[in-house]
Every structure is written in C-alpha cells, then in structure tokens.
Amino acid sequence: DAGVTQSPTHLIKTRGQQVTLRCSPKSGHDTVSWYQQALGQGPQFIFQYYEEEERQRGNFPDRFSGHQFPNYSSELNVNALLLGDSALYLCASSTNNYEQYFGPGTRLTVT
Amino acid sequence: AQKITQTQPGMFVQEKEAVTLDCTYDTSDQSYGLFWYKQPSSGEMIFLIYQGSYDEQNATEGRYSLNFQKARKSANLVISASQLGDSAMYFCAMREADLSGGYQKVTFGTGTKLQVIP
C-alpha cells in the first residue's frame, strides 16, 4: 500500500517564477492538506481540499492556490515566488478528518 | 496567543531512559484532537499518537504514551526506553472543529529537538 507521495523532491526557482507541486494521497484517503514548513519552524497550514474543493484555508496570500483532481491527487501552485517562499512543502492525506499521513515533502528553494 | 506551545527547544536523554516532551494548548472548543509527530532529518512527518478530547484514557502506542491533562490543557508525550533512532524533531499538533462541525486545519507547535545519547 503506497503512502503519500510528492513530486518533485527538490526544486530550485528564481524570484518571480511560478511553481507547481504535486501530491498523491494514501490509498483510500479523500482529503488532502498542504503545509509550508520554514527552516526550524513547525508546519503552517496552507489549505485543505475535499471533493475537489478548497474547504479550509490558512493565512496565506492568493499567490498560493491549489487543485484536487477526481482521483483525489492534488497540486499546489505558487505564483510570483518570493525568497520567503523557500521552505519544505508537506502534503498530508486523511479520511474522515482523523489521522493525517504526511508525504516526504518537496523542498523549494527560491533564489 | 499561541495555540500550541512547546517550551523545550531541545532535549537530551540517555539511551534506554524515559523522556517527557511538553505540550500545552489553547482552545475554547469542547471537541478537539491532539497529535504528536516525529520528524527525522529526512523531513517526513511520522504520526506517533492521537488523543481525542473526549477520550477518558490516555493514549498509548508501543513506547509512546500521551499524558493528557485536560484541565491543565497539556498533552505531554512520554517516550519510554529511548533508542538512538528516536533522535529527531517532535511536534505537538491540535485539530479543532470548524463552525459547521467539520474538520479544520491542524495547528502545529514549534517542535522539540530530541537527542538520544548512547
């Protein structure tokens, strides 16, 4: 049983560019949440997707957007990248709002 | 105000000894859940243990137990018989219900770095 997978593993982008991160949830899970974890900090909630709709959103600007597909996989898009967007981006999947299983993360570096 | 407070940035423990990692939380909800996650240097968040606010007994999972004191709003993680592989960051997190009674975001603390000494 595959767990949560994320791609790519690492990514280097330049300020002002756009990036798309991908997440496939654990089998049987229908809810995907995205988190940003800056170095030395705890993860910060970005948003959550359920039934292809954004259900909850944290305190992040509109530059951060997402999508969930019918197979429950999800994308996180960040536009107009800033240096401060450099972080580990974690995807977590769950069902019935219980235990969240996290993926290995995508490490984004903005130069 | 911080929703989740972890006051120990770093902890050391001797191998085979027990260690307690502190976590206090702040919520006005009656229904909430508390989690502990382990994050090794590889970056992946590993679920350890869960305690629901209505659970009367403290949660246990193998060498992990959660010392849940609701009145004090604390949810400390106890790791018994520490192993070298326990060296990692540990995060306490809380899930609260939103206004519609559905699921809301999970809020994480700032973490405690545990180092197990041989």
Side-chain angles (χ1 to χ4, degrees):
Chain A
D1 177 26
V4 181
T5 60
Q6 291 186 244
S7 63
T9 306
H10 295 86
L11 203 53
I12 299 175
K13 289 286 190 178
T14 304
R15 262 185 312 177
Q17 286 188 317
Q18 178 265 342
V19 68
T20 297
L21 310 182
R22 294 176 177 81
C23 171
S24 291
K26 182 177 170 65
S27 178
H29 286 185
D30 55 10
T31 303
V32 173
S33 302
W34 286 93
Y35 294 83
Q36 180 195 66
Q37 186 178 19
L39 198 61
Q41 302 293 319
Q44 299 291 314
F45 176 78
I46 303 175
F47 42 54
Q48 182 186 83
Y49 277 86
Y50 172 71
E51 292 189 343
E52 302 180 50
E53 290 191 357
E54 183 183 291
R55 181 159 69 174
Q56 282 287 343
R57 188 178 183 92
N59 189 25
F60 278 80
D62 292 344
R63 298 187 297 109
F64 289 78
S65 64
H67 188 76
Q68 186 179 36
F69 299 93
N71 66 353
Y72 306 123
S73 66
S74 177
E75 288 183 349
L76 164 65
N77 300 291
V78 187
N79 294 322
L81 284 167
L82 304 173
L83 294 179
D85 295 333
S86 295
L88 179 68
Y89 287 84
L90 293 163
C91 166
S93 73
S94 61
T95 184
N96 294 329
N97 301 324
Y98 187 55
E99 177 184 324
Q100 286 189 325
Y101 288 82
F102 282 80
T106 293
R107 191 164 296 280
L108 172 66
T109 302
V110 182
T111 62
Chain B
Q2 292 275 16
K3 290 264 187 182
I4 296 286
T5 302
Q6 294 182 254
T7 57
Q8 306 154 313
M11 290 278 288
F12 289 92
V13 64
Q14 203 76 35
E15 193 178 6
K16 300 180 184 178
E17 296 292 313
V19 63
T20 298
L21 306 184
D22 295 341
C23 172
T24 57
Y25 59 91
D26 181 27
T27 182
S28 55
D29 287 354
Q30 296 301 310
S31 177
Y32 53 90
L34 296 156
F35 301 82
W36 277 92
Y37 286 89
K38 172 184 177 181
Q39 188 177 42
S41 56
S42 60
E44 186 169 355
M45 299 288 281
I46 301 168
F47 168 79
L48 296 178
I49 197 165
Y50 170 83
Q51 178 88 40
S53 57
Y54 292 117
D55 295 339
E56 294 186 356
Q57 291 197 333
N58 287 342
T60 60
E61 289 284 349
R63 295 186 298 111
Y64 305 107
S65 61
L66 201 153
N67 183 4
F68 182 47
Q69 298 187 42
K70 197 169 181 177
R72 296 180 60 186
K73 294 188 175 178
S74 74
N76 298 338
L77 176 70
V78 180
I79 305 175
S80 63
S82 296
Q83 302 172 356
L84 295 178
D86 294 335
S87 294
M89 283 291 289
Y90 288 81
F91 290 96
C92 179
M94 177 173 63
R95 167 177 64 88
E96 299 167 281
D98 64 15
L99 294 176
S100 66
Y103 182 32
Q104 203 187 47
K105 64 182 185 285
V106 175
T107 304
F108 283 78
T110 53
T112 295
K113 184 173 183 178
L114 177 67
Q115 294 185 64
V116 180
I117 305 168

